[in-house]
Amino acid sequence: RKEVEQDPGPFNVPEGATVAFNCTYSNSASQSFFWYRQDCRKEPKLLMSVYSSGNEDGRFTAQLNRASQYISLLIRDSKLSDSATYLCVVPASGGSYIPTFGRGTSLIVHP
Amino acid sequence: DAGITQSPRHKVTETGTPVTLRCHQTENHRYMYWYRQDPGHGLRLIHYSYGVKDTDKGEVSDGYSVSRSKTEDFLLTLESATSSQTSVYFCAISELGIPTEQYFGPGTRLTVT
């Protein structure tokens, strides 16, 4: 299994929909995870941190499933402005501190 | 937004020429990072710094060197640019070491012809 895997999408959803992305990881010792949002031709911006069972911020919920080794990002009541690429980040394995970024999942929210 | 700037923002250079990219922060964060982002790949770490004059290699460090003489500046140098180094380069900072939240600069788009 690759260190971090994401479904590239695109996920094409109407406004108001609920959408969820998963990110699987191979390092079972990982303790902390992050979701970043990246708009086209812009820098990644931190969206959420996931340190334990999960995290919620408004319409966004991140959950961690340690048994199956994946994290998820749920977006409720999607807005047009949510259209972006969502990157998950997992600390690297083998004691390395090099983070591993997923390739990202593309979300397109349409009217 | 975190105070991170990168210069230049765009650069076109020829194969074999040296190139230096600059990252400047006003947050006084200890840790700084250089990443490259290419289609079909996630962000990949090139080098990072955990203090003034303290640097270490990342995942894709071949062909790159870095220097950090001041807390606020982290330089990335391509000693002899190659076409495979055409990419978007992002600088990032963090207050604590990885794993932790990182804040990214606006990026430098480099084209090597």
Side-chain angles (χ1 to χ4, degrees):
Chain A
R1 172 191 272 183
K2 292 182 182 176
E3 288 200 58
V4 179
E5 289 196 75
Q6 292 185 255
D7 182 342
F11 285 65
N12 204 318
V13 303
E15 273 187 290
T18 295
V19 62
F21 319 127
N22 285 344
C23 172
T24 59
Y25 62 93
S26 60
N27 180 10
S28 60
S30 295
Q31 296 293 316
S32 54
F33 308 84
F34 306 92
W35 282 102
Y36 286 78
R37 171 201 167 116
Q38 185 173 26
D39 293 297
C40 187
R41 301 176 78 85
K42 297 284 191 178
E43 73 272 23
K45 292 191 176 181
L46 181 67
L47 181 64
M48 299 185 78
S49 307
V50 188
Y51 289 109
S52 55
S53 60
N55 194 3
E56 183 171 332
D57 183 5
R59 298 183 294 109
F60 297 83
T61 300
Q63 292 189 315
L64 169 61
N65 185 315
R66 291 193 184 278
S68 300
Q69 294 184 209
Y70 72 87
I71 58 172
S72 62
L73 179 66
L74 179 78
I75 305 175
R76 290 179 295 276
D77 188 23
S78 298
K79 312 291 185 191
L80 296 177
S81 57
D82 293 334
S83 297
T85 297
Y86 292 84
L87 312 174
C88 71
V89 184
V90 177
S93 59
S96 166
Y97 290 99
I98 298 175
T100 301
F101 280 77
R103 297 180 185 184
T105 296
S106 175
L107 171 66
I108 301 170
V109 182
H110 58 82
Chain B
D1 289 348
I4 312 168
T5 57
Q6 292 184 232
S7 58
R9 295 292 314 280
H10 301 271
K11 186 171 183 65
V12 180
T13 192
E14 293 183 349
T15 298
T17 60
V19 177
T20 295
L21 309 182
R22 180 182 183 235
C23 177
H24 179 78
Q25 59 142 332
T26 58
E27 305 296 323
N28 201 36
H29 282 356
R30 178 180 174 187
Y31 297 84
M32 299 185 75
Y33 314 83
W34 276 108
Y35 290 89
R36 62 178 289 174
Q37 187 173 39
D38 305 289
H41 294 274
L43 282 154
R44 292 181 291 174
L45 184 66
I46 304 171
H47 282 278
Y48 65 99
S49 169
Y50 45 97
V52 174
K53 291 188 169 53
D54 292 323
T55 65
D56 206 349
K57 296 179 180 180
E59 180 186 357
V60 289
S61 58
D62 287 348
Y64 302 94
S65 63
V66 290
S67 66
R68 190 165 178 206
S69 58
K70 298 185 289 185
T71 298
E72 57 266 35
D73 290 324
F74 193 31
L75 304 180
L76 177 71
T77 297
L78 291 65
E79 302 289 348
S80 178
T82 67
S83 58
S84 65
Q85 293 176 311
T86 292
S87 187
V88 179
Y89 292 86
F90 288 104
C91 172
I93 64 173
S94 67
E95 196 165 4
L96 303 174
I98 292 170
T100 187
E101 295 88 348
Q102 296 178 295
Y103 301 93
F104 286 82
T108 294
R109 192 168 295 273
L110 176 68
T111 302
V112 184
T113 60

